[in-house]
């Protein structure tokens, strides 16, 4: 848990540092291209949820994200997962969630600045480090759940095969004993 907390702190620090740099260097300016026609830095004040959806409901998101983060911490404290994949996913989600929560509490909005502009008809949203961490973390948790479910299914199937094999062995042993008598 200690390493996960250190990683969360690093995520929060990196997120807040990049947002501070964004405000210092980009606020009030045009977008700055990093890779022409693919990636640019654009200052955006996001007052909604993920990718700006449901604008003007910040208290709802603040309450929901607080409850979710506290819930995840309680879950990790009471029932820590054995999987490193699960730890990575939870760490990214919590670190990113706290990073955006800091913005919502302190500013009333979240600062976004990563603008992937290669496919403007498909992708129109600007995001930040915290958003990326939450999305990647959720993806990792989904992968972990799928892999864990497959593992449990295979184990259950193997147990049924072992039980069937044991029952067959027991019935063969009983038949052999009867034949000896």
């Amino acid at each position: 848990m200690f390493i996960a907390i250190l990683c969360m702190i690093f995520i929060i620090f990196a997120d807040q540092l990049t947002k501070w740099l964004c405000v210092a260097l980009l606020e009030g300016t045009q977008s700055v291209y990093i890779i022409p026609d693919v990636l640019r830095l654009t200052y955006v004040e996001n007052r909604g949820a993920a990718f700006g959806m449901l604008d003007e409901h910040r208290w709802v998101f603040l309450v929901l994200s607080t409850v979710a983060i506290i819930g995840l911490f309680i879950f990790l404290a009471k029932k820590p997962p054995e999987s490193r994949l699960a730890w990575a996913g939870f760490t990214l989600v919590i670190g990113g969630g706290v990073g955006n929560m800091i913005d919502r509490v302190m500013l009333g909005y979240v600062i976004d600045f990563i603008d992937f502009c290669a496919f403007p008809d498909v992708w129109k949203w600007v995001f930040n480090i915290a958003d990326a961490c939450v999305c990647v973390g959720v993806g990792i948790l989904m992968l972990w759940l799928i892999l864990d479910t497959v593992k449990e299914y295979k184990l259950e199937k193997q147990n049924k095969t072992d039980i069937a094999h044991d029952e067959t062995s027991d019935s063969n042993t009983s038949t052999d004993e009867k034949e000896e008598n």
Side-chain angles (χ1 to χ4, degrees), residues 40-176:
R40 63 186 174 203
L41 300 178
T42 304
Y43 178 84
V44 174
E45 294 177 0
N46 177 354
R47 298 180 187 280
F51 307 112
M53 294 183 285
L54 301 173
D55 197 11
E56 301 304 324
H57 292 86
R58 98 177 164 108
W59 291 107
V60 172
F61 305 121
L62 193 58
V63 169
L64 289 177
S65 60
T66 301
V67 169
I69 290 167
I70 290 170
L72 288 174
F73 260 116
I74 290 169
F75 172 77
L76 290 175
K78 291 192 178 227
K79 191 176 178 184
E82 295 175 15
S83 167
R84 288 183 181 172
L85 205 55
W87 274 107
F90 285 122
T91 299
L92 287 166
V93 169
I94 292 170
V98 171
N100 278 341
M101 188 186 308
I102 290 169
D103 284 10
R104 286 195 199 290
V105 169
M106 301 300 286
L107 305 171
Y109 54 86
V110 173
I111 296 170
D112 290 333
F113 59 93
I114 302 170
D115 190 357
F116 182 69
C117 57
F119 305 103
D121 294 336
V122 177
W123 186 263
K124 301 172 183 147
W125 302 279
V126 180
F127 58 100
N128 59 44
I129 301 289
D131 294 335
C133 287
V134 170
C135 290
V136 170
V138 168
I140 289 172
L141 289 173
M142 289 170 55
L143 176 64
W144 168 63
L145 286 172
I146 291 167
L147 293 175
D148 196 53
T149 302
V150 168
K151 180 179 161 186
E152 285 180 20
Y153 173 77
K154 286 181 177 179
L155 187 62
E156 185 178 307
K157 189 175 177 182
Q158 181 63 41
N159 287 341
K160 286 181 182 178
T161 303
D162 291 346
I163 290 169
H165 178 69
D166 290 345
E167 288 174 358
T168 305
S169 297
D170 289 344
S171 66
N172 287 341
T173 304
S174 298
T175 306
D176 292 343

